[in-house]
Amino acid sequence: MWQRVDRASHMVEGAKAPRHQVRDKKPNLPRHASAGYMGPAHKDSHSRLFNLHLKRVVRDISQDALSKPSRSPDRRSGFQTIRQIIQVAEVCQDTLKNGELSPREEKEMLVTMVDAYKTILMGLPVVEPLQLVTALHRCAAMVKITGEGRWILSKRRSFFIDVLKQLQREIDDLDARMLSTMVWSLGQFGPEVTEEALGGGLTVLDLIDQVKMVCERKLSAFNPKDVSCLMVGLAYLDNRDFGRFMSTLCSEISLKMSSYGPRELANVAWAIGKMQIKAGRSVIKKMELRLRSPLSDFSPQGICNLIWGAARVRAMLSNDSMAAVAAHVVRNRAKLAPQDVGNFMWAFAKLRFFPGMVFLEQLAPVVSKRIRYFQPQEIANVLYACAIFGEAPSEIVNATRTYILDFRDRFSLQELINCGWSLAILGELDGWVYDALTERLISENGGDFASSTGVGVHIPPQIQDSDLRQFYQCLLHLRYLFPEELVETPIGLERAARRSWISLNVMSPINYLVPRVVQTLSSLGYACETPKFVVPGGITVNEVRISSTRVGLEVVGRSNCFENDCMRLQGPFYWRHRLMEALGWEPVIIYEDVWTEMDKRGQREFLEDNILVLGDMDFE
């Protein structure tokens, strides 16, 4: 498609991609509607005007470039033309970010810019790799905003494939910036792009493998920005075969951590979390030292990415670091995007750090007043975190429950069930939300749940066992704790969910200490065994009978509590205990750490004070 470049005469060694900001005056495009309020009709007409003017500007630039009397390989004129298109692309990106265009107009703008790059590149006498990477990067930046990667790839596949083929031929001569930018750009098109054929039996995935080998040879030439850009691109492509190479990059980052800025650290942490690279745990632990410096160096999203990445790979951070992050979140809560709010709360829950009720109350207005800007996944993350904390301000509960009922069709099955489960753990699930869960499960199963007895029922792959278990907890919650709701559940759905629940022995306590506790009880003169009873709801209980009292004995470990409060159980345990009480058991909790640190006398005294007293039994 394009003439191969004679790099000896037309390429400057180590050339880098143009910066986002250029000194030349930007093209004279109409001022965007976001500069002031416009009604719907005015906004639509303005959007159409913008796209029409955009096409004229692009056409003029293209015609000017193609009408040059001299067709000599002048690299300066080629870069000048690309620079003009870049200026237009910057205006387009600003327009897309403001969200003023309809989906159809966004696609029209995207096609216009891709065609502009295609026209310019085809008209140049020689095309350098830097120009190809720049074109690919600018198209990918617009794809990232619109989310139309698959669509534009299907519409303009030949252009993108030709660009990649040319880059493949030049792969060994690309510098670090171009390699990382190319991978980042491919990542914006999604994992499906790796399956695209390049010809000769090769695919884009084969091209990326070649890029990885070149990167390994030139790794010493990569600066922090290049490394972070490369890791983010690989994470977007989401291929597990990249794990070994990502581990190599983690080792390189660990050696040069001091040279990484806040933005690069945040991007690296996000990529490690996205790919769940185990070797990245030590890298994120080293990043924790940077959290002790002023957090103002990080953007709110940057801190969010770092904490989210730590949570994804279970890199437990110190309580001091987590407390500093929580305080920073509260101070900057007005600047947080909905995604940041959801990710922060989810990460705190996964890292078992309870930020306190004051923290939740401070974030509650952010959630309730901006609830319409939240996506279903962000709603699910907020409620999940509150469920693990075991507490939620009523402002959050009421706002999210209303959102779920009003926009239930926006939620995926898993998101909807996660929200219902979280409300059940908090004791806030009502019949309306439960009915929405039931209807969705039946519709996803083609109605089989409604008519089947649950024996041998076919469960489609989109309904996972975890979904059925969470649904069954919702059913138990309403049946035994709020029977006045009078909800109805198809027998087939109930039986399938109960089988899934019991098969996992969900919320099983630490049982290895229970025989020792019972042995101590026996030494006090009380004969008992260590049976495990499955109550009607499917809850496994270690029962100890004292007179007429049934004691549900549970030993809990540190992993069932919070890192900053080892005596505070996570929310699902409190729900379990509420259910046990409703079914006639008196729950008694023994903390593993506390029990193992006590001597025999201390253990006997603990049992006398906490268990035997329940049966009005007095032991000398």
Side-chain angles (χ1 to χ4, degrees), residues 349-424:
K350 283 294 183 181
L351 293 173
R352 304 202 312 271
F353 178 84
F354 179 58
M357 196 61 188
V358 173
F359 172 90
L360 297 177
E361 290 173 347
Q362 293 281 357
L363 284 188
V366 177
V367 176
S368 62
K369 293 179 181 178
R370 300 168 60 190
I371 191 71
R372 66 182 183 276
Y373 299 111
F374 279 68
Q375 296 297 319
Q377 182 60 57
E378 293 148 11
I379 296 290
N381 284 346
V382 169
L383 284 176
Y384 168 82
C386 291
I388 297 300
F389 298 150
E391 293 188 63
S394 58
E395 194 172 355
I396 289 181
V397 171
N398 294 334
T400 53
R401 184 162 47 199
T402 301
Y403 184 100
I404 293 167
L405 292 174
D406 290 344
F407 304 107
R408 67 186 71 178
D409 293 338
R410 297 182 183 178
F411 288 76
S412 68
L413 173 64
Q414 187 177 28
E415 290 166 348
L416 191 61
I417 289 181
N418 285 347
C419 290
W421 175 85
S422 299
L423 289 172

Side-chain angles (χ1 to χ4, degrees), residues 9 36 55 190 215 231-232 251 354 357 379 384 404 420 443 451 489 505 519 536 549 573 586 614:
S9 59
K55 290 181 178 180
C215 289
M231 290 192 68
V232 169
S251 300
F354 179 58
M357 196 61 188
I379 296 290
Y384 168 82
I404 293 167
S443 65
S451 58
T489 308
N505 193 20
Q519 183 179 10
T549 303
F573 279 90
E586 186 70 32
L614 296 175

Side-chain angles (χ1 to χ4, degrees), residues 52-306:
L52 288 173
H53 197 80
L54 169 66
K55 290 181 178 180
R56 285 197 294 269
V57 170
V58 170
R59 181 193 61 200
D60 292 344
I61 294 174
S62 303
Q63 289 179 350
D64 180 65
L66 298 178
S67 63
K68 299 290 184 182
S70 172
R71 302 292 289 176
S72 61
D74 184 359
R75 66 185 303 273
R76 289 179 299 176
S77 63
F79 276 113
Q80 178 62 30
T81 305
I82 292 292
R83 186 176 294 112
Q84 290 177 312
I85 293 295
I86 288 174
Q87 294 167 2
V88 177
E90 288 177 351
V91 179
C92 292
Q93 286 176 226
D94 292 340
T95 304
L96 291 171
K97 287 178 180 177
N98 287 322
E100 298 285 348
L101 302 182
S102 68
R104 182 185 62 80
E105 291 166 337
E106 288 182 350
K107 291 180 177 179
E108 185 179 355
M109 177 181 290
L110 186 56
V111 168
T112 299
M113 293 307 302
V114 172
D115 288 345
Y117 282 114
K118 179 179 179 180
T119 301
I120 296 298
L121 292 175
M122 290 184 66
L124 295 176
V126 290
V127 181
E128 301 190 12
L130 179 56
Q131 295 168 328
L132 295 172
V133 172
T134 300
L136 185 63
H137 173 254
R138 287 296 171 173
C139 294
M142 296 179 68
V143 164
K144 181 180 180 182
I145 300 172
T146 61
E148 297 292 347
R150 184 180 298 180
W151 180 83
I152 191 63
L153 190 60
S154 65
K155 295 296 182 181
R156 296 294 184 269
R157 175 176 280 102
S158 61
F159 167 70
F160 289 111
I161 295 302
D162 286 337
V163 168
L164 294 178
K165 284 181 178 180
Q166 178 75 356
L167 288 173
Q168 185 181 28
R169 289 192 289 269
E170 304 279 351
I171 194 72
D172 290 327
D173 297 325
L174 301 186
D175 63 18
R177 179 60 54 85
M178 288 189 281
L179 289 168
S180 59
T181 301
M182 181 173 68
V183 174
W184 181 91
S185 301
L186 288 173
Q188 306 313 307
F189 291 92
E192 296 83 5
V193 74
T194 58
E195 301 173 2
E196 293 292 331
L198 296 177
L202 299 177
T203 65
V204 174
L205 183 59
D206 296 317
L207 171 60
I208 295 172
D209 288 337
Q210 295 178 28
V211 171
K212 291 189 314 185
M213 290 187 290
V214 175
C215 289
E216 287 182 330
R217 293 200 307 266
K218 300 182 178 182
L219 197 53
S220 59
F222 280 66
N223 62 33
K225 182 176 181 180
D226 298 331
V227 174
S228 64
C229 183
L230 181 61
M231 290 192 68
V232 169
L234 292 172
Y236 275 126
L237 292 171
D238 196 19
N239 189 307
R240 295 302 167 188
D241 293 338
F242 300 158
R244 188 189 65 82
F245 180 62
M246 294 279 275
S247 298
T248 301
L249 293 177
C250 286
S251 300
E252 182 72 12
I253 294 168
S254 184
L255 293 174
K256 301 179 180 179
M257 181 74 70
S258 59
S259 63
Y260 281 70
R263 182 173 184 178
E264 287 80 25
L265 291 177
N267 287 341
V268 167
W270 179 87
I272 289 173
K274 180 72 167 59
M275 293 290 289
Q276 292 184 302
I277 305 299
K278 293 182 179 179
R281 289 177 184 169
S282 58
V283 175
I284 292 181
K285 290 291 288 183
K286 278 192 174 182
M287 291 182 189
E288 183 181 5
L289 298 175
R290 301 291 292 273
L291 292 177
R292 299 174 186 175
S293 61
L295 287 178
S296 57
D297 294 343
F298 290 83
S299 68
Q301 185 180 14
I303 298 178
C304 180
N305 287 346
L306 199 156

Side-chain angles (χ1 to χ4, degrees), residues 434-534:
Y434 181 83
D435 287 342
L437 302 182
T438 304
E439 292 172 4
R440 176 64 67 84
L441 277 167
I442 291 175
S443 65
E444 292 282 347
N445 197 41
D448 287 349
F449 280 143
S451 58
S452 171
T453 61
V455 179
V457 63
H458 171 69
I459 300 176
Q462 64 266 27
I463 301 180
Q464 302 177 14
D465 281 343
S466 58
D467 298 331
L468 291 175
R469 294 184 200 112
Q470 289 184 324
F471 174 77
Y472 194 64
Q473 287 181 271
C474 296
L475 183 152
L476 295 176
H477 172 79
L478 291 179
R479 176 168 296 171
Y480 294 108
L481 297 178
F482 295 93
E484 65 275 8
E485 291 286 345
L486 300 176
V487 294
E488 295 184 0
T489 308
I491 185 64
L493 174 57
E494 179 176 345
R495 289 182 176 177
R498 188 174 189 274
R499 286 203 315 273
S500 179
W501 166 269
I502 294 178
S503 67
L504 188 65
N505 193 20
V506 176
M507 296 299 297
S508 175
I510 299 176
N511 290 314
Y512 80 93
L513 280 181
V514 172
R516 302 182 190 178
V517 175
V518 172
Q519 183 179 10
T520 305
L521 279 170
S522 300
S523 70
L524 292 172
Y526 181 72
C528 61
E529 299 177 356
T530 59
K532 294 168 63 176
F533 291 87
V534 178

